[in-house]
Amino acid sequence: MPDQNDMRAVILDFPNQLIRGIDAAKNVQLAGRFDKAVVCGMGGSAMATAEHLQALATTQGSNAAVWVHRGYDLPAGVTSSALVIASSYSGNTEETLSAYDAARELGCTTIAVTTGGKLAERARRDGTALVELQTKAIPPRLAVGESSAAVLMVLARAGIIPSPETELRAVAAWLKPVTYEAESKALAANLMNRIPLVYASDQWKAVARSWKAALNENAKTPAFWNHLPELTHNELAGFSAPAGNPAAALASQVAVVMLTDPAEEPRMARRTAITAELLRNHGVAVHDVAIDGATPL
């Protein structure tokens, strides 16, 4: 395990988290068939886990719905036939504990994904399946590799998606965080003293939101996100304030990070390029970051 106080070491260890996530969940036993899975979590435990997995379950042809729930209790419409995954890195997230208790009261099959805390205590007390994460004592936002891999494996064990193990191992072998270090430092320098706006196409909106949260928590700065094509129907107009309008000064105070997919659908790729051009014409700094990798995961 890396030194928890060494941010760089934790980042470089990220691929190993995927393997630890596989190992943490590989022996989970879940009986029955489920018409939906509800992933309950807040902050980092929901960001990387729930929304990425929701998208992945869809792309992998899941026949069951995967819901994301951020809040207390459970969403209306959840029945006892749902699998409820309570994801809390610390195990002490108030909203997630509430959702876990509501699922137990409703008679749902529940599973806890956590490093410990009250959630692990309740799971052991109730005989609930427990996936205990091994990457401990780091900020939850940095443990997304292990928690995401673990929840993917749980969804597979529940029969909701095909097993992701082969792909997860391939990603762990392929991903070399150090190769992004120079680009990351350059981008960080360009974002200094500006409010970052992270944009991506609809299929990558969970990634844009994750970037936004990481900027908030790591850099202690306001940051915002949006996705195309929706932002071109409203938010983009906000940058067209005429000279002399105080809002026109906004351009010098923000910087856009445009997450671009080289394999993007042609119409979306064109819209993204035009959006970047319009923003630059209004004096907004736009920094393109290419998404790489062979698969969505």
Side-chain angles (χ1 to χ4, degrees):
M1 296 288 180
D3 180 348
Q4 65 190 51
N5 297 310
D6 184 342
M7 175 74 81
R8 184 174 183 273
V10 172
I11 293 171
L12 293 179
D13 180 63
F14 185 87
N16 297 322
Q17 287 192 30
L18 300 177
I19 304 303
R20 291 197 286 271
I22 293 171
D23 292 341
K26 67 182 179 182
N27 294 322
V28 167
Q29 299 294 327
L30 294 168
R33 297 181 63 84
F34 305 96
D35 62 354
K36 65 177 63 68
V38 185
V39 183
C40 304
M42 302 296 299
S45 295
M47 193 69 61
T49 303
E51 292 192 325
H52 290 257
L53 302 186
Q54 184 181 46
L56 286 166
T58 301
T59 62
Q60 292 188 15
S62 172
N63 292 320
V66 179
W67 291 5
V68 180
H69 179 60
R70 289 182 176 83
Y72 295 99
D73 303 322
L74 288 173
V78 175
T79 66
S80 59
S81 62
L83 171 66
V84 176
I85 303 171
S87 174
S88 168
Y89 178 79
S90 69
N92 296 316
T93 309
E94 179 180 353
E95 299 90 338
T96 308
L97 290 170
S98 169
Y100 171 85
D101 291 342
R104 292 285 303 171
E105 184 175 345
L106 192 60
C108 298
T109 298
T110 54
I111 184 165
V113 179
T114 183
T115 59
K118 295 178 182 177
L119 183 57
E121 291 174 3
R122 294 184 191 184
R124 293 190 180 100
R125 177 197 69 195
D126 300 331
T128 291
L130 172 63
V131 174
E132 189 166 0
L133 304 176
Q134 299 305 304
T135 309
K136 301 179 185 290
I138 64 174
R141 62 192 177 275
L142 298 180
V144 298
E146 184 170 353
S147 61
S148 295
V151 176
L152 269 175
M153 293 294 291
V154 168
L155 290 172
R157 299 290 289 178
I160 293 172
I161 62 171
S163 174
E165 182 172 353
T166 298
E167 186 179 1
L168 284 167
R169 291 188 183 278
V171 172
W174 164 79
L175 183 59
K176 302 291 187 288
V178 73
T179 63
Y180 301 97
E181 187 166 16
E183 178 185 5
S184 300
K185 286 183 176 180
L187 178 60
N190 286 324
L191 297 180
M192 281 289 289
N193 302 318
R194 292 176 183 253
I195 296 174
L197 310 178
V198 187
Y199 292 158
S201 65
D202 186 70
Q203 69 169 329
W204 297 111
K205 63 185 177 184
V207 182
R209 187 170 183 172
S210 292
W211 273 60
K212 177 263 185 195
L215 286 159
N216 293 153
E217 295 189 67
N218 292 329
K220 313 303 183 216
T221 183
F224 302 90
W225 72 281
N226 208 331
H227 58 99
L228 293 96
E230 178 63 23
L231 77 86
T232 60
H233 290 267
N234 37 63
E235 185 162 323
L236 186 59
F239 292 95
S240 60
N245 186 319
L250 177 68
S252 64
Q253 300 174 37
V254 302
V256 168
V257 176
M258 189 72 78
L259 303 179
T260 60
D261 180 0
E264 191 68 79
E265 193 271 338
R267 291 171 298 178
M268 187 67 77
R270 176 170 170 75
R271 185 177 287 265
T272 300
I274 292 173
T275 299
E277 180 182 1
L278 288 170
L279 287 167
R280 290 185 174 109
N281 289 343
H282 285 290
V284 178
V286 179
H287 306 283
D288 293 320
V289 177
I291 297 172
D292 58 0
T295 70
L297 183 59

